Amino acid sequence: MTRPHVVIVGAGLAGLTAALEAVDHDLQVTLLEARPRFGGGTWSFERKGLTFDNGQHVYLACCTSYRRYLERCGVTKSAPLSRLSIPVLQPRQDGGEPTVSWIRRSGLPAPLHLARSLSSYRYLSLGERAKIGWAALALRRLDLFDPALDDETFASFLRRHGQSQRAIDVLWDLIALPTINVRAEEASLLLAAKVFQTGLLANSDAADIGWSRVPLTQLHVEPALGILERAGASIRDRAKVSSMVLDDDARRVTGVVVDGETIDADAVVIATNAESVTKILPAAAGTDREGVDRLGSSPIIDVHLVYDQKVMDYRVAAGIDTPVQFVFDATEASGLPASDGQCLAISVSGADEEHGERPEVLIDRYAREMERIFPRARRATLVDAVVSREHHATFRASVGSQKLRPGVATAISNLVLAGTYTDTGWPATMEGAVRSGEQAIAQLMTNRAYLKGSEVEMSQREAS
Ligand SMILES: Cc1cc2nc3c(=O)[nH]c(=O)nc-3n(C[C@H](O)[C@H](O)[C@H](O)COP(=O)(O)OP(=O)(O)OC[C@H]3O[C@@H](n4cnc5c(N)ncnc54)[C@H](O)[C@@H]3O)c2cc1C
């Protein structure tokens, strides 16, 4: 029996998930990746004997599809979850140890699990703290199926519910910015509501937090490629798809073109980033390509600092009144022995301004900030530093962005889309990418049109 052949274009998390789902449905898979490396927006690089990730990646317990992906790859233990407990640090004018206030959950049911921590959040006045609950409860009641939520900014909603600018800056944006990658002032209320409802207001353990203790390539890419190879998938890097081949009446896709070569396909999943999809998606697919182009993107930069000694005791810390948004202890993942020093990754979301700056300027600025926050950094030697930047890190989750996100189905029954920019209901996250890959294959299995040839062959064999 000939197994239906699915070509998957793009090997980020969405494409890798689609490929794994496809082999699980006993489809023959070809995975094509334009770059010389796999993993898309999650990848690692070597420098002076250490390994750095392109950006610190974090997930929450509510990311159920992503957790299934980790399980499928057998790497759950490499990215353990811990109870939500994050110190929020403020540098002190006198140069002493930073002021600390914790965002942590208790064992109480949601939303009471955060009540204690927020009622003692020292960066807000008593009056401001008293009003947090009002906005949180209003956020919890929003209907995520109401399209009007996409027409308002998160900040405007917060102001309507009594939140001061300070509360937006030091509390709401502390959570919204790293998850949706634009500030509340610009963010679509719909995506912000999704984040807060799913991550913080529905279940008490939903925001328990995890990240990889090994390089991302080792976590996401190598195990997935191993599974695919064992299942007989064909995997190619440096294979940039330039177009789709359609049948005469443009109702079915019959293959893809790579470097002038046509690869035949019974079905195609385009699992690229939003910037690439419109270049190869045929008009017959019926997807609003201009809309996808209008989504735009939002950058993230990471400043990686390697010290000759430990300067931070926390595994992760957030900052206020400093450009350091979040800093992670990446020593273990980098391969640096703890006795030799500490490797820290400072993650800067919504980095529109920083993105264009020279690496030495950024390193100087963030190294100084670290000295302001952590007095021990003043005595330590910075032995290496590198900046990684991703201009198109995520789609731009501004007001109106939800309307521009296409579904995974297209007007061509054997051509589907996957990618974090598709309408998963989630922001541009690893969870969104994995969900889109799952949905793409589920859609193909529902359409079944692409199976036609193989089914005929199968019934002939069964008949004989
Ligand atoms: C620095 C950074 C930090 C982040 N932090 C977090 C975080 O903490 N938590 C979180 O959940 N998410 C985070 N994200 C977001 C997350 O990484 C992305 O949402 C996710 O990886 C996107 O996956 P994707 O498969 O949809 O797209 P991509 O990863 O962009 O993959 C698309 C792939 O398609 C390939 N491609 C494009 N065109 C073609 C073509 N014509 N032919 C063949 N291949 C093609 C590309 O080369 C790429 O490999 C972060 C992203 C970045 C960049």
Side-chain angles (χ1 to χ4, degrees), residues 43 54 181 297-303 323 325 347-363 365-366 387-394 396:
W43 57 284
N54 68 317
N181 206 18
S297 60
S298 188
I300 299 178
I301 66 157
D302 275 62
V303 181
Q325 294 172 6
S347 177
V348 184
S349 300
D352 293 303
E353 285 164 23
E354 293 84 350
H355 184 262
E357 290 186 286
R358 283 182 294 128
E360 53 275 25
V361 173
L362 292 167
I363 289 167
R365 177 182 312 148
Y366 283 91
V387 176
S388 52
R389 19 176 142 220
E390 296 277 0
H391 184 52
H392 302 296
T394 65
R396 202 154 187 110

Side-chain angles (χ1 to χ4, degrees), residues 164-433:
S164 65
Q165 190 57 47
R166 180 75 177 157
I168 293 174
D169 291 342
V170 304
L171 177 65
W172 297 99
D173 256 346
L174 196 76
I175 299 157
L177 182 58
T179 44
I180 45 188
N181 206 18
V182 288
R183 290 192 180 274
E185 219 53 67
E186 178 181 346
S188 162
L189 170 58
L190 183 64
L191 278 175
K194 168 70 185 168
V195 167
F196 282 89
Q197 283 191 7
T198 310
L200 284 164
L201 301 169
N203 295 304
S204 62
D205 60 356
D208 285 355
I209 182 170
W211 65 89
S212 186
R213 306 298 198 262
V214 298
L216 286 174
T217 301
Q218 217 172 303
L219 186 79
H220 291 151
V221 182
E222 289 163 9
L225 294 183
I227 296 171
L228 293 172
E229 271 162 15
R230 287 192 291 282
S234 162
I235 302 167
R236 285 172 57 179
D237 60 4
R238 298 181 172 84
K240 183 172 182 178
V241 171
S242 54
S243 59
M244 303 285 121
V245 183
L246 302 181
D247 65 2
D248 289 344
D249 51 5
R251 290 179 58 188
R252 287 172 57 82
V253 60
T254 59
V256 302
V257 179
V258 179
D259 289 333
E261 173 202 354
T262 297
I263 301 174
D264 293 335
D266 294 306
V268 174
V269 179
I270 304 182
T272 68
N273 38 316
E275 294 72 37
S276 303
V277 67
T278 52
K279 297 190 180 83
I280 55 175
L281 187 64
T287 303
D288 175 8
R289 292 179 296 183
E290 277 180 20
V292 175
D293 276 339
R294 282 209 308 280
L295 265 175
S297 60
S298 188
I300 299 178
I301 66 157
D302 275 62
V303 181
H304 310 265
L305 302 176
V306 184
Y307 291 96
D308 67 341
Q309 55 190 272
K310 194 170 190 178
V311 302
M312 176 177 93
D313 288 329
Y314 308 107
R315 291 195 306 115
V316 56
I320 62 153
D321 302 329
T322 160
V324 174
Q325 294 172 6
F326 277 85
V327 53
F328 293 82
D329 185 350
T331 310
E332 190 179 347
S334 75
L336 179 73
S339 53
D340 289 0
Q342 193 173 39
C343 177
L344 298 177
I346 301 169
S347 177
V348 184
S349 300
D352 293 303
E353 285 164 23
E354 293 84 350
H355 184 262
E357 290 186 286
R358 283 182 294 128
E360 53 275 25
V361 173
L362 292 167
I363 289 167
D364 184 57
R365 177 182 312 148
Y366 283 91
R368 280 170 196 267
E369 281 302 316
M370 291 302 283
E371 290 183 13
R372 267 199 340 125
I373 304 173
F374 300 107
R376 265 186 279 162
R378 293 171 215 152
R379 297 189 294 274
T381 303
L382 192 59
V383 290
D384 194 19
V386 61
V387 176
S388 52
R389 19 176 142 220
E390 296 277 0
H391 184 52
H392 302 296
T394 65
F395 70 81
R396 202 154 187 110
S398 325
V399 162
S401 55
Q402 180 59 27
K403 295 180 186 61
L404 304 175
R405 298 174 76 182
V408 295
T410 73
I412 299 172
S413 60
N414 65 339
L415 174 65
V416 293
L417 305 178
T420 195
Y421 69 91
T422 58
D423 181 11
T424 59
W426 284 72
T429 50
M430 301 187 286
E431 174 71 5

Side-chain angles (χ1 to χ4, degrees), residues 8-17 31-34 37-42 221 225 235-236 271-272:
I8 294 164
V9 183
L13 271 177
L16 289 168
T17 304
L31 180 60
L32 303 172
E33 168 54 50
R37 57 168 178 78
F38 298 93
T42 67
V221 182
L225 294 183
I235 302 167
R236 285 172 57 179
T272 68

